[in-house]
Amino acid sequence: MSTHYDHIAEQYKRAKLIPWRHHVEQYSLLKLLGGVEGKSVLDLACGEGHYTRMVKALGAARAAGVDISTKMIELAQNSERGNRLGVEYTVADARSIQFPDAFDVVLAAYLLNYARTPDELLAMCQGIARNLKPGGRFVTVNNNPLQRPENFLTTRKYGFVKSADEELRNGTALHYTIFLENETFQFDNYHLDIATHEWALREAGLDGIQWHSLELSPAEASGPNREYWDDFFADPSVILVECRKPPA
Ligand SMILES: C[S@@+](CC[C@H](N)C(=O)[O-])C[C@H]1O[C@@H](n2cnc3c(N)ncnc32)[C@H](O)[C@@H]1O
């Protein structure tokens, strides 16, 4: 299976090292995820396994990563060969994957923003719900549909910007440019509004939907760089979502 990410897999892995990823994205997502000790966790759209490795290291009994990009999964498996944590990786589409045993938690950092239509989003949410145990939790960080386009460029100093060629409506392509030390690369996500996300999650059988703002890590919030982050938090480009599969 080949996807756009096959061509940018190495660059995307390096992009996980830029400061906002650590101090904002990772801090906020892991805080929302909470304790995973002894739990089974499925990481959909796992990429090269950044969060899959992390949840296993945090004590998950089982961690499985799924990505549609062969190259991303190759990188994940290389890491596993280099430092065996016992994470399982599979190349598959999150919309159709079905594991024999359901999971306590499904994580899917930046999966939903690849849906171009409400129906594609619904298929992703059904893939999430299908692989969750009754009472299990879904947690994600994703494009923030509420960010105003006039603020899309304010994140340049954090190493990325997004742009759109038209007024935002369901299906509008969001062009991301990522700036690394000596290189830039691009990929597209798609805008779908909050109501469409809530419709798709509910239609897939998930409830208790909550949207959460990102937070700055305490180390940065109490350090000399506090003000550096103000632009990011004035109108954040990404947002957290959690919900639950109702108990049986
Ligand atoms: C922005 S990357 C995020 C990777 C990882 N979650 C992280 O935070 O490092 C998005 C990933 O979603 C994957 N992806 C997109 N659509 C997918 C689908 N339908 N099923 C599985 N993976 C998908 C891409 O191949 C890519 O690796």
Side-chain angles (χ1 to χ4, degrees):
M1 201 175 290
S2 170
T3 75
H4 180 65
Y5 272 83
D6 287 350
H7 309 291
I8 58 167
E10 298 274 1
Q11 290 163 310
Y12 191 81
K13 182 172 181 174
R14 287 195 287 281
K16 289 304 272 191
L17 304 176
I18 56 184
W20 88 268
R21 299 286 202 171
H22 181 77
H23 294 302
V24 182
E25 175 195 292
Q26 186 176 306
Y27 173 73
S28 305
L29 183 62
L30 293 184
K31 186 174 171 192
L32 180 64
L33 183 65
V36 290
E37 232 170 276
K39 293 187 179 164
S40 54
V41 180
L42 172 60
D43 186 9
L44 289 177
C46 66
E48 48 77 32
H50 182 82
Y51 287 115
T52 340
R53 289 190 293 279
M54 229 168 258
V55 294
K56 191 73 175 88
L58 287 169
R62 179 180 182 202
V66 169
D67 200 282
I68 202 167
S69 159
T70 308
K71 182 74 190 164
M72 285 300 223
I73 292 294
E74 253 173 53
L75 290 179
Q77 282 167 335
N78 287 347
S79 292
E80 183 64 18
R81 271 189 288 276
N83 179 21
R84 190 152 169 72
L85 295 172
V87 180
E88 321 148 32
Y89 292 106
T90 310
V91 177
D93 190 326
R95 292 170 290 185
S96 47
I97 185 91
Q98 170 136 37
F99 281 85
D101 300 315
F103 292 79
D104 297 309
V105 179
V106 172
L107 180 68
Y110 307 112
L111 168 66
L112 302 183
N113 44 216
Y114 283 94
R116 288 163 296 185
T117 63
D119 283 349
E120 282 186 3
L121 186 65
L122 175 58
M124 287 177 183
C125 295
Q126 287 167 332
I128 291 160
R130 190 187 306 131
N131 290 289
L132 264 182
K133 290 180 187 171
R137 266 180 98 214
F138 170 55
V139 174
T140 188
V141 59
N142 207 55
N143 174 62
N144 179 8
L146 298 174
Q147 189 189 22
R148 292 187 303 279
E150 59 266 33
N151 293 327
F152 280 4
L153 300 181
T154 58
T155 50
R156 173 65 185 88
K157 70 184 196 198
Y158 309 110
F160 71 98
V161 293
K162 61 182 170 182
S163 66
D165 302 330
E166 58 181 6
E167 224 172 89
L168 295 188
R169 57 186 166 81
N170 276 355
T172 298
L174 301 170
H175 313 300
Y176 272 82
T177 305
I178 312 288
F179 303 93
L180 301 180
E181 211 173 330
N182 295 313
E183 57 189 332
T184 63
F185 68 98
Q186 295 179 317
F187 54 84
D188 283 355
N189 286 177
Y190 300 91
H191 174 85
L192 289 173
D193 60 24
I194 297 275
T196 303
H197 282 83
E198 297 199 349
W199 164 80
L201 289 164
R202 285 206 187 94
E203 195 70 18
L206 301 168
D207 68 14
I209 304 165
Q210 293 183 60
W211 298 80
H212 301 280
S213 302
L214 293 159
E215 289 175 49
L216 185 59
S217 71
E220 281 296 288
S222 60
N225 291 334
R226 174 65 194 91
E227 284 176 12
Y228 168 77
W229 297 102
D230 286 352
D231 287 330
F232 192 97
F233 288 97
D235 192 10
S237 50
V238 294
I239 195 162
L240 302 162
V241 191
E242 69 169 322
C243 57
R244 193 170 279 278
K245 182 163 173 170

